[in-house]
Amino acid sequence: MTLPVQTAPAPAGPAPRTPTRPAGHRRPGGHGGYLPYLIPAALLFVVVIAIPLVGNVWLSFTRWQGVGSPDWVGLEQYRKLFSDETFWLSARNNLALIVAMAIVPTFLGLLLAGAMFDVVGKRFGQRSASALRASFYLPQVLPAVVAGVVWGWILHPEFGALNEMLRFVGLDSWTQNWLGDEKTALLSVMAVLVWIQIGYPVVIFMAGLQRVDPELYESAEVDGAGWWQRLWLITVPQIRPEIFVVLLTCTIAALKTFDKIFVLTRGGPGGATNVPSYFSFQNFFEKANVGYGAAIATVLTVIIVGLTFLFLRAQHRDER
Amino acid sequence: MSAPTLTSRQRARCRPDPVRWVVLIGLAVLAVITLVPFGLVALNAVKSPADYSQGGPLQPPNSLYLQGIIDFWVRVDFGEKLWNSTVIAGSVAVFAVLVSVVAAYALGIGRVRGRMWIIAIFLLANLMPQEALIYPLYYMAKEVDLYDTRLAVIIIFTAVQAAFGTYLLSAVLSRFPTEILDAARIDGAGKWHTLWRVVVPMSWPTLSVLLVFFFIWTWNEFFIPLVMLVSNENQTVPVALGVLQGQRLMDATTQSASALLGIVPAVVFFLLFQRTLTRGIAAGAVK
């Protein structure tokens, strides 16, 4: 997937305006002369993002096999979409992926980063904390597809390492077709996603904790606050901006999940791990149902933009 | 348990108490569990198929068997895939940084009118799911004969990464020291000259972080290359591995060999750029 650090180096908002200068002391060249510098970026934006985006919305109002000319059908694709069981199943699965990619890693990341900062870093030295952090981060550096190949092999029903190990310790009855059985497929995918994702919140939260004044912890400790209380009363409020960023970027990444599903399960078995992003791909390129695929992709876009807007507004309100 | 003469602060400083050891051991166990898949892959990629079926995935290999890796390398022409990935990710990183810094020069330093809106649009562009762009892009690429070429993928990702780069660099350049710009102007440097001789060299630390991030992000991309690059000789590493994985023709050791070949470049980048990456993640995460 997008490496989830994708939006990490982003400052939280547009830069503050510098105070207005007295007239006559303007930046070199004034405003007008700079416009040509925007041409390459604007051209790329229009060709690669704006036109395709509008084209996709237009396609979602048509029926088209990909050849010949599209037939205008108005809102029919959307009507079909909202009564399509497969779509709703994929939407529910996507919620499960949000749990696995955003909510669980944020929570675990808080526990791990808190423990590493508060206990390991202080009592056992910074080097052990860094080594632990690097271990948790390693899955994050893999292309998602490679992570999928690794786990596709480990979870393989016949020769996978997990089943082999279970047989080895005599737990034959525990062996499963992990990714091929409807009962276990979604949970297995979720577990893999947690493994992939966990390093990102750990690194971000540990970086955020550098800001926190150690005195806060020490005086809380003297006042008899336990580890758990310190986590909730000091760590969480202090790194609230980081928590916002992690939740937002991971939720968006979860909504865009395609590569892991493609490699691990191809949405199967029987749609048990299908997600809207993969479902739209199937309609575009496997079923030649372009209008329907475009409608799914449009709905996904609206959800992502809406969610981002809500998050940013909540963060803005929180900062006041 | 507690010595009454010591305050808890002093006690905590004197020696790590048992609870802290439990926390440390718990974390270490979790870290090892995280690393187990890497170990399993490395262990079984150098095992012969006979060895695997006999001893299972946990047994150390009887002898170092590299044929599995070699066979897989030859079968997918892995060198070619590495080259394709390098060409695509390298070109995108360079072009996207160039486009972003030029645009950000106009937005952050030139302060063109309506820049807030322009920056917001670039940020939004970065959020768009690729699914919502793919079919028109696929159609357009076919129309202009760029379908199944690396150039198509390079153009698309230059636009996607430059959208993010413009957003980020506009904020960075808007804090560029005015005195230096004024000095350059007084020395008679034009806008173009100031950009390349003053702004770019002074922003190099940020630009180099962006260069590394763009390279790695593009290297890891799957969806658009999967759609755009259908013929074998144009495919990238993730596409080749992902497509083969779907075919389920592989035995256990070949599959771990393929996983190992995918892991190695990623880990090499990580080690090479570790400091740049941590700087980028840590410094920029939140302001």
Side-chain angles (χ1 to χ4, degrees):
Chain A
M1 124 71 268
T2 43
L3 226 144
V5 287
Q6 182 105 20
T7 37
R17 285 156 167 267
T18 42
T20 27
R21 291 160 208 291
H25 187 86
R26 284 170 71 191
R27 296 225 167 204
H31 296 286
Y34 283 95
L35 275 178
Y37 291 80
L38 281 175
I39 291 172
L43 211 63
L44 279 168
F45 170 78
V46 168
V47 172
V48 177
I49 292 162
I51 292 178
L53 195 65
V54 173
N56 185 74
V57 173
W58 181 78
L59 281 176
S60 74
F61 297 118
T62 68
R63 192 183 296 120
W64 192 30
Q65 306 277 315
V67 285
S69 50
D71 296 324
W72 182 267
V73 292
L75 288 171
E76 198 194 295
Q77 301 287 16
Y78 291 93
R79 235 173 271 134
K80 188 169 130 203
L81 184 68
F82 289 117
S83 57
D84 183 349
E85 274 305 312
T86 320
F87 173 72
W88 286 110
L89 176 62
S90 75
R92 276 200 301 280
N93 290 337
N94 216 338
L95 286 180
L97 297 200
I98 292 176
V99 170
M101 282 180 72
I103 295 171
V104 172
T106 302
F107 186 73
L108 281 180
L110 273 175
L111 289 180
L112 292 175
M116 276 188 267
F117 180 77
D118 194 10
V119 180
V120 181
K122 271 186 232 160
R123 316 289 173 201
F124 299 93
Q126 206 54 54
R127 287 183 85 178
S128 9
S130 305
L132 286 170
R133 185 182 61 184
S135 317
F136 291 123
Y137 194 70
L138 199 56
Q140 273 280 300
V141 308
L142 297 184
V145 168
V146 174
V149 174
V150 169
W151 282 97
W153 166 64
I154 292 177
L155 299 175
H156 194 280
E158 285 122 45
F159 57 65
L162 181 58
N163 278 352
E164 291 275 354
M165 282 192 282
L166 288 171
R167 279 182 216 117
F168 182 74
V169 295
L171 290 170
D172 291 50
S173 57
W174 288 29
T175 58
Q176 301 282 345
N177 186 356
W178 299 100
L179 294 169
D181 188 325
E182 277 183 42
K183 288 195 292 290
T184 51
L186 187 60
L187 281 173
S188 305
V189 169
M190 289 171 76
V192 173
L193 293 179
V194 172
W195 178 81
I196 294 176
Q197 203 70 5
I198 187 68
Y200 173 61
V202 167
V203 167
I204 300 277
F205 292 162
M206 281 182 82
L209 284 169
Q210 304 295 327
R211 273 202 322 262
V212 182
D213 181 4
E215 286 288 318
L216 267 178
Y217 284 93
E218 292 195 7
S219 43
E221 215 171 328
V222 171
D223 292 343
W227 188 81
W228 188 251
Q229 276 172 308
R230 292 202 299 277
L231 182 74
W232 286 110
L233 298 176
I234 303 176
T235 310
V236 172
Q238 291 285 327
I239 60 170
R240 198 185 288 268
E242 277 85 357
I243 298 177
F244 261 118
V245 168
V246 166
L247 277 175
L248 174 62
T249 52
C250 292
T251 304
I252 291 176
L255 289 169
K256 291 178 176 176
T257 302
F258 173 85
D259 35 19
K260 294 133 191 151
I261 295 295
F262 181 93
V263 177
L264 285 170
T265 62
R266 300 242 169 158
T273 58
N274 207 350
V275 288
S277 144
Y278 190 75
F279 190 38
S280 76
F281 170 82
Q282 284 178 315
N283 280 291
F284 281 139
F285 298 107
E286 287 170 13
K287 301 177 185 163
N289 227 335
V290 178
Y292 198 49
I296 301 165
T298 305
V299 169
L300 193 61
T301 310
V302 170
I303 292 173
I304 288 175
V305 172
L307 207 65
T308 309
F309 181 72
L310 288 178
F311 256 106
L312 291 180
R313 228 179 53 168
Q315 186 183 28
H316 189 65
R317 201 180 304 147
D318 190 67
E319 274 169 2
R320 294 221 179 137
Chain B
M1 177 188 156
S2 66
T5 49
L6 293 176
T7 67
S8 59
R9 187 191 296 201
Q10 283 164 324
R11 191 159 20 96
R13 285 223 170 124
C14 287
R15 60 190 162 85
D17 62 56
V19 179
R20 300 190 186 285
W21 279 102
V22 172
V23 172
L24 179 71
I25 291 166
L27 284 170
V29 169
L30 282 176
V32 169
I33 292 175
T34 312
L35 296 179
V36 162
F38 292 96
L40 280 174
V41 164
L43 191 67
N44 292 291
V46 294
K47 218 181 250 184
S48 71
D51 204 354
Y52 186 87
S53 53
Q54 218 172 45
L58 291 177
Q59 205 85 262
N62 286 329
S63 60
L64 200 63
Y65 173 88
L66 297 175
Q67 202 54 44
I69 297 176
I70 296 168
D71 285 348
F72 184 80
W73 183 294
V74 174
R75 188 162 125 205
V76 303
D77 201 348
F78 197 72
E80 184 185 72
K81 307 297 174 283
L82 280 174
W83 173 244
N84 288 337
S85 277
T86 310
V87 167
I88 292 175
S91 322
V92 168
V94 171
F95 291 141
V97 167
L98 286 176
V99 171
S100 324
V101 77
V102 171
Y105 184 55
L107 295 166
I109 289 177
R111 306 188 160 250
V112 297
R113 202 162 298 156
R115 62 184 173 279
M116 287 303 178
W117 285 103
I118 300 174
I119 292 170
I121 287 171
F122 278 120
L123 177 62
L124 216 58
N126 196 254
L127 284 173
M128 290 301 124
Q130 295 174 349
E131 290 77 11
L133 312 173
I134 193 64
Y135 207 89
L137 284 175
Y138 166 78
Y139 185 82
M140 286 155 71
K142 282 195 158 171
E143 289 291 295
V144 296
D145 270 339
L146 282 178
Y147 179 64
D148 200 15
T149 63
R150 291 175 298 192
L151 182 61
V153 177
I154 292 172
I155 295 173
I156 293 169
F157 282 117
T158 300
V160 170
Q161 313 290 30
F164 176 73
T166 304
Y167 160 72
L168 181 85
L169 285 177
S170 300
V172 172
L173 291 187
S174 70
R175 291 189 299 270
F176 199 88
T178 332
E179 308 79 58
I180 295 176
L181 295 172
D182 287 342
R185 191 175 38 119
I186 289 162
D187 288 347
K191 290 195 216 40
W192 183 248
H193 212 71
T194 309
L195 170 62
W196 298 109
R197 291 295 165 82
V198 180
V199 175
V200 168
M202 281 192 65
S203 317
W204 184 245
T206 316
L207 298 184
S208 65
V209 172
L210 267 188
L211 208 60
V212 170
F213 270 93
F214 287 168
F215 183 87
I216 292 180
W217 290 343
T218 310
W219 184 283
N220 291 348
E221 281 289 345
F222 180 66
F223 182 64
I224 286 177
L226 173 77
V227 173
M228 287 288 171
L229 304 174
V230 278
S231 57
N232 256 323
E233 72 260 22
N234 289 331
Q235 283 175 354
T236 61
V237 172
V239 173
L241 294 181
V243 169
L244 267 180
Q245 170 79 6
Q247 292 174 350
R248 314 219 171 272
L249 298 165
M250 290 195 279
D251 58 20
T253 50
T254 319
Q255 207 169 345
S256 40
S258 83
L260 187 70
L261 286 176
I263 290 174
V264 168
V267 172
V268 168
F269 297 149
F270 179 62
L271 295 176
L272 273 179
F273 299 127
Q274 201 176 11
R275 288 185 55 204
T276 323
L277 287 171
T278 15
R279 188 150 46 102
I281 299 168
V286 181
K287 286 204 328 159

